[in-house]
Amino acid sequence: MSFAQSLLAWFRAPVPPIDDTLWRQAVSRVPLVRALDEPRARYLRQLTAGFLHTKRFHAVGDAALDDFWRLVIAMQASLPALPHGPKAFKGWTNVLVYPGEFNVRRNHYDAPTGVVTDSHDTLIGEAWERGPMVLSLADVALDIDAPWDGFNVVVHEMAHKLDMLAGPANGVPPLPSSMNRREWIQTMQRGFDTLSRQVDRGRKTAIDPYAAEAPEEYFAVTSELHFSQPALLREAAPEVARLLDAFYGPSPAG
């Protein structure tokens, strides 16, 4: 079965093709996609069409969300899904796009004391389990203007979505049969523990210290590095870099 046939079987309806002119315009603005070899670029286009077919985009506030920006988001979200196919998009539907940073109110319940505390976070992206992917359009634009600086909010949130295919995010996404789950857990935990110790000691780290917040953030941050600054990842955490090469395929950054 061809990829196009498998895509049709998965989505159970014809997937509208992406307009040639719009695709070329988006590719010209997204260096991560321009750097792909021809077979993977062709595969990405088909996968991106499936993403656009199944996801609903919602502009929040005055976000200038047009067909071009929907495509830019969809193609970057599809990059981490290349080795995994349409199943990578299971379990959620909506993409919320704010014009810039957005505020989130959280409640924390402390079981031993019964005390509930409120907090407010300012974010550029968020992924909810079986809920939306939420993005700052300003930061999506920044990422395509500086593609090799180690940051990509769409890749970060898509890594969380892959992680959540197995339940609540914990840094262990469903793995292909060629990869060993125990090795993944042990290697990623060692990387996370090493970074956490460095951050706790106040050391400057090559990997963004935000990755030390939790194992799932370590996976998402190192996923960003895999796509946009793999040389830094190979130097800072070579075994983690090797695992992500196996999970995502070769980085478009080389």
Side-chain angles (χ1 to χ4, degrees):
M1 180 183 291
S2 70
F3 178 77
Q5 289 171 322
S6 66
L7 201 67
L8 179 59
W10 182 268
F11 294 125
R12 298 181 185 147
V15 177
I18 299 169
D19 175 77
D20 286 341
T21 300
L22 184 62
W23 178 258
R24 287 193 296 269
Q25 180 189 5
V27 169
S28 73
R29 287 288 309 278
V30 183
L32 271 70
V33 175
R34 287 205 309 272
L36 291 174
D37 56 68
E38 196 278 332
R40 285 203 295 165
R42 185 172 62 251
Y43 185 69
L44 179 74
R45 181 169 178 171
Q46 294 175 314
L47 200 56
T48 300
F51 186 96
L52 291 168
H53 181 56
T54 57
K55 305 304 177 194
R56 298 192 186 104
F57 285 76
H58 307 273
V60 182
D62 59 352
L65 186 63
D66 57 15
D67 287 345
F68 170 78
W69 285 109
R70 280 189 284 269
L71 178 55
V72 165
I73 291 168
M75 63 177 18
Q76 290 182 96
S78 298
L79 272 172
L82 274 172
H84 312 291
K87 64 184 179 182
F89 303 142
K90 285 196 310 180
W92 61 286
T93 301
N94 297 302
V95 182
L96 308 184
V97 182
Y98 285 81
E101 295 178 339
F102 52 93
N103 295 317
V104 176
R105 179 179 176 180
R106 304 188 190 281
N107 295 320
H108 173 71
Y109 173 70
D110 184 67
T113 63
V115 174
V116 178
T117 56
D118 291 336
S119 64
H120 292 81
D121 294 331
T122 300
L123 305 176
I124 64 171
E126 188 173 38
W128 301 3
E129 186 184 0
R130 305 196 72 80
M133 175 187 288
V134 190
L135 300 166
S136 156
L137 188 59
D139 287 273
V140 174
L142 284 173
D143 289 338
I144 65 173
D145 287 338
W148 314 120
D149 66 353
F151 299 97
N152 188 292
V153 65
V154 180
V155 168
H156 184 107
E157 302 310 331
M158 190 61 204
H160 282 319
K161 285 297 188 182
L162 291 171
D163 193 354
M164 292 171 183
L165 289 172
N170 62 1
V172 187
L175 301 175
S177 59
S178 59
M179 298 187 71
N180 183 282
R181 179 179 169 84
R182 181 185 295 273
E183 180 189 12
W184 177 282
I185 292 171
Q186 292 175 342
T187 301
M188 298 297 280
Q189 187 67 51
R190 281 196 300 270
F192 172 74
D193 290 343
T194 297
L195 180 67
S196 297
R197 286 193 296 269
Q198 293 170 341
V199 171
D200 289 344
R201 293 168 184 168
R203 295 180 181 174
K204 185 176 180 179
T205 60
I207 297 173
D208 186 344
Y210 182 67
E213 290 286 317
E216 59 269 25
E217 296 301 344
Y218 185 81
F219 169 56
V221 169
T222 54
S223 294
E224 292 181 80
L225 288 171
H226 169 80
F227 284 97
S228 61
Q229 209 172 33
L232 183 150
L233 183 59
R234 287 193 291 266
E235 182 176 350
E239 290 304 305
V240 171
R242 180 183 58 81
L243 278 186
L244 294 182
D245 273 337
F247 183 71
Y248 288 123
S251 171

